[in-house]
Amino acid sequence: MTVEQPVQAPVPAPESTPDRILVAGEWRRGGGDPFETTDPATGRTLAVLTAADTADVDEAARRAARAAADPAWRALPAHHRARLLHRIADAIDARAADLAALQTADTGKALTETRALVASAAGTFRYTAAALETAEEALTPSRGPYVTMSVYEPIGVVGAINPWNSPLAGDAQKLAPALAGGNAVLLKPAEWTPLVSLALGRLVTTALTELGLPTALLSVLPGRGSLIGDAIVRDPRVGKVTFTGGTATGRTLAHAAAEKLMPLSLELGGKSPTVVLADADVEQALAGVMFGVFSSSGQSCIAGSRLFVARALYDEFLAELVARVKALRVGPGTASDTQVAPLVHHEHRDSVAAYVDLAREEGARVLCGGAAPQGPEYAAGAYYLPTVLDGLPNSARTCQEEIFGPVLVALPFDDEDDLVRQANASVYGLACGIWTRDHRAAWRIARRVDAGTVWINTYKQFSISTPFGGMKDSGLGREKGPAGFRSYQRQKSLYWGTSHAPLPWAH
Ligand code: NAP
């Protein structure tokens, strides 16, 4: 295993003083306690920030509501809103190298990945601009002497709460459609990874200023979720919340949203099955299974973390898989050959390690990994070796609970019914991968599994033009796609009378 020495993460000099947060377009110290964000590859402190407090949320929401109602924004034609989105996309491209380096420093992710996430964020703004400009407000079939049509209007203030695993791309997926829909946004990044969201806040604020639009349309409010996230969800001026994170948190938010009868979209956890049928192209499947679970060090909602292999192929496939997993290059995100970078935080690495200890107690065989890598180059970082487990029943906690780390659990299956039964025996329903040359079998299985997304002979590929979301405990609602930004609007039906004939009660 070759590991390059970590280079000093090229964190760009912050344009605002680093302890500032963005409250309704203004950079200022948050009213909450200071907190540190660290580089998980080295453990060093990247920045000491101040958290928002509930007074910051209150002010951000009050001024956001005013900005959302400002005719300069609310009455702005769609193609002018699209101009804003294009300008933000251009600004992201212009700062792509800095943003990727910042995200690698804050999350630990490999630079190859963060560069792709930056490009994806810019693409999201451009795609959403195109969807906005080409969306039609359709006439609906009329059943009388009137013309009927649907129009769409902004909700007002949207709360966007994100996890730490892909902050920039995740922020873009919420911010672009929310702005396209004509709203103001209160964005709450995760406490472990606030830096790139604040950097995005800077770019968006600049674009708003350049176009003469109200800067209070965006606030970026770091702080503890149970305090700041909760204050955003409960604020009476917030008309929709879009949340990505764990299922338990999503459930808490759903209760709070129910109190207000507020729409809520939830992108939650997963324990996605990857299926290898006996006739699969083994080379392709091996690469796909490894990429599906170990890229992003497994910290991905759609990680293919439960592997089902046809019993006839099981031993042979597992032996080859384990040999290849042992050869994956573990190292800092800044090294060009790193395949498995550190986890986001030492605390999270410890939680992943605790799951592998639990798997041992449950009777698992640890086929590879199962520990932090040894060596001075790993000593300070939040590293964990890619791990393959087997020998557990599908009902074991290790097979059922989301670990969110580089841990794959393998299980054999006997036939299609057995496979579908095991794959669906999970509270989650986010994604599924199928590796086979038999397109009819792929079709049947794809239609029978509980999953919002099914990949056939590929995995973890994303397109902003394809709707995404979960079934069961993996979420509510869909993001992306041509209709994505409509979920940030309210639909209104108009009836235009075309007849001079009086209504029945006319004198
Ligand atoms: P998390 O603990 O649920 O946190 C997500 C966000 O919610 C963070 O910003 C957090 O703030 C905030 N939060 C926590 N408690 C809150 C509360 N009571 N009210 C309002 N906000 C609150 O999840 P995580 O550990 O950061 O992220 C990992 C999870 O996200 C995994 O389950 C993963 O599968 C899921 N995920 C899903 C998708 C998808 O598209 N389906 C994509 C990515 C990740 P703080 O962290 O600052 O406290």
Side-chain angles (χ1 to χ4, degrees):
M1 199 181 306
T2 53
V3 178
E4 293 177 14
Q5 285 304 307
V7 298
Q8 188 73 11
V11 183
E15 288 151 296
S16 60
T17 341
D19 62 355
R20 302 294 155 104
I21 63 171
L22 181 62
V23 180
E26 283 176 22
W27 292 94
R28 61 161 81 153
R29 288 177 60 83
D33 294 333
F35 69 98
E36 277 188 1
T37 180
T38 54
D39 178 346
T42 60
R44 80 186 168 104
T45 301
L46 288 171
V48 180
L49 296 99
T50 52
D53 67 1
T54 52
D56 293 320
V57 175
D58 182 63
E59 181 179 344
R62 180 170 49 78
R63 292 175 54 194
R66 213 183 309 140
D70 185 336
W73 176 242
R74 191 179 158 88
L76 197 68
H79 63 284
H80 283 286
R81 291 209 299 276
R83 262 183 79 202
L84 169 68
L85 302 188
H86 279 295
R87 194 169 281 241
I88 297 168
D90 292 346
I92 291 172
D93 280 344
R95 298 297 303 271
D98 287 349
L99 290 168
L102 187 61
Q103 189 161 341
T104 287
D106 212 12
T107 61
K109 277 176 185 286
L111 261 179
T112 42
E113 189 185 345
T114 52
R115 284 190 193 116
L117 290 170
V118 172
S120 148
T124 295
F125 278 97
R126 290 204 177 90
Y127 171 83
T128 310
L132 171 64
E133 281 214 77
T134 52
E136 295 186 358
E137 293 189 330
L139 291 177
T140 49
S142 173
R143 295 175 67 86
Y146 32 78
V147 173
T148 52
M149 66 182 297
S150 271
V151 293
Y152 298 86
E153 296 176 351
I155 289 171
V157 183
V158 169
I161 302 177
N162 265 331
W164 40 259
N165 64 328
S166 295
L168 185 65
D171 292 349
Q173 264 166 45
K174 296 190 182 322
L175 202 46
L179 290 173
N183 303 286
V185 181
L186 309 183
L187 174 64
K188 200 212 85 65
E191 251 196 316
W192 282 349
T193 59
L195 294 182
V196 84
S197 305
L198 288 163
L200 179 63
R202 167 69 57 178
L203 302 181
V204 173
T205 308
T206 304
L208 288 168
T209 307
E210 286 169 0
L211 293 177
L213 296 169
T215 52
L217 287 170
L218 178 64
S219 293
V220 182
L221 303 165
R224 213 162 10 99
S226 54
L227 184 70
I228 298 309
D230 184 70
I232 291 172
V233 175
R234 291 182 194 281
D235 190 284
R237 290 152 297 200
V238 171
K240 168 176 172 134
V241 163
T242 167
F243 171 81
T244 300
T247 296
T249 316
R251 222 182 280 284
T252 306
L253 265 62
H255 282 291
E259 288 290 321
K260 292 167 62 180
L261 293 180
M262 172 179 71
L264 173 79
S265 72
L266 299 174
E267 298 287 356
L268 307 176
K271 189 82 180 179
S272 298
T274 308
V275 177
V276 182
L277 299 192
D279 70 341
D281 176 330
V282 169
E283 270 305 310
Q284 256 205 342
L286 284 165
V289 167
M290 287 198 297
F291 179 74
V293 66
F294 296 125
S295 57
S296 313
S297 302
Q299 303 166 113
S300 169
C301 54
I302 38 86
S305 51
R306 278 190 303 157
L307 170 65
F308 292 100
V309 184
R311 199 177 290 280
L313 189 62
Y314 188 81
D315 291 339
E316 183 193 332
F317 190 87
L318 262 270
E320 185 56 33
L321 179 74
V322 167
R324 293 187 190 202
V325 172
K326 284 180 177 167
L328 288 173
R329 290 182 297 278
V330 179
T334 47
S336 57
D337 66 346
T338 287
Q339 291 171 296
V340 182
L343 301 179
V344 67
H345 199 278
H346 288 75
E347 219 175 278
H348 183 54
R349 191 267 312 271
D350 295 346
S351 129
V352 170
Y355 259 113
V356 177
D357 291 344
L358 169 71
R360 288 191 175 98
E361 281 167 29
E362 288 184 307
R365 287 193 299 158
V366 180
L367 302 180
C368 62
Q374 297 303 305
E377 68 274 38
Y378 300 116
Y383 290 98
Y384 200 80
L385 286 171
T387 299
V388 181
L389 308 170
D390 91 334
L392 288 173
N394 192 30
S395 57
R397 278 183 60 196
T398 315
C399 299
Q400 290 295 316
E401 295 178 17
E402 185 183 42
I403 298 174
F404 220 59
V407 180
L408 176 68
V409 55
L411 299 119
F413 67 89
D414 293 318
D415 56 30
E416 215 168 285
D417 285 343
D418 179 38
L419 164 68
V420 171
R421 191 180 42 76
Q422 292 199 67
N424 286 347
S426 163
V427 294
Y428 295 114
L430 194 57
C432 171
I434 303 169
W435 298 91
T436 179
R437 290 187 170 96
D438 179 345
H439 65 274
R440 289 190 179 86
W443 173 261
R444 284 193 306 270
I445 296 165
R447 299 306 300 263
R448 291 178 70 191
V449 290
D450 301 333
T453 297
V454 179
W455 286 287
I456 297 158
N457 293 327
T458 184
Y459 202 87
K460 216 177 172 187
Q461 300 303 306
F462 275 123
S463 161
I464 184 67
S465 48
T466 302
F468 177 78
M471 294 179 177
K472 304 192 322 197
D473 281 7
S474 290
L476 273 184
R478 293 290 177 268
E479 289 190 331
K480 307 184 177 177
F485 78 91
R486 288 292 191 214
S487 69
Y488 291 85
Q489 294 185 313
R490 295 189 291 210
Q491 189 174 12
K492 183 180 278 177
S493 296
L494 300 183
Y495 284 66
W496 292 76
T498 53
S499 166
H500 290 286
L503 287 174
W505 287 6
H507 291 294

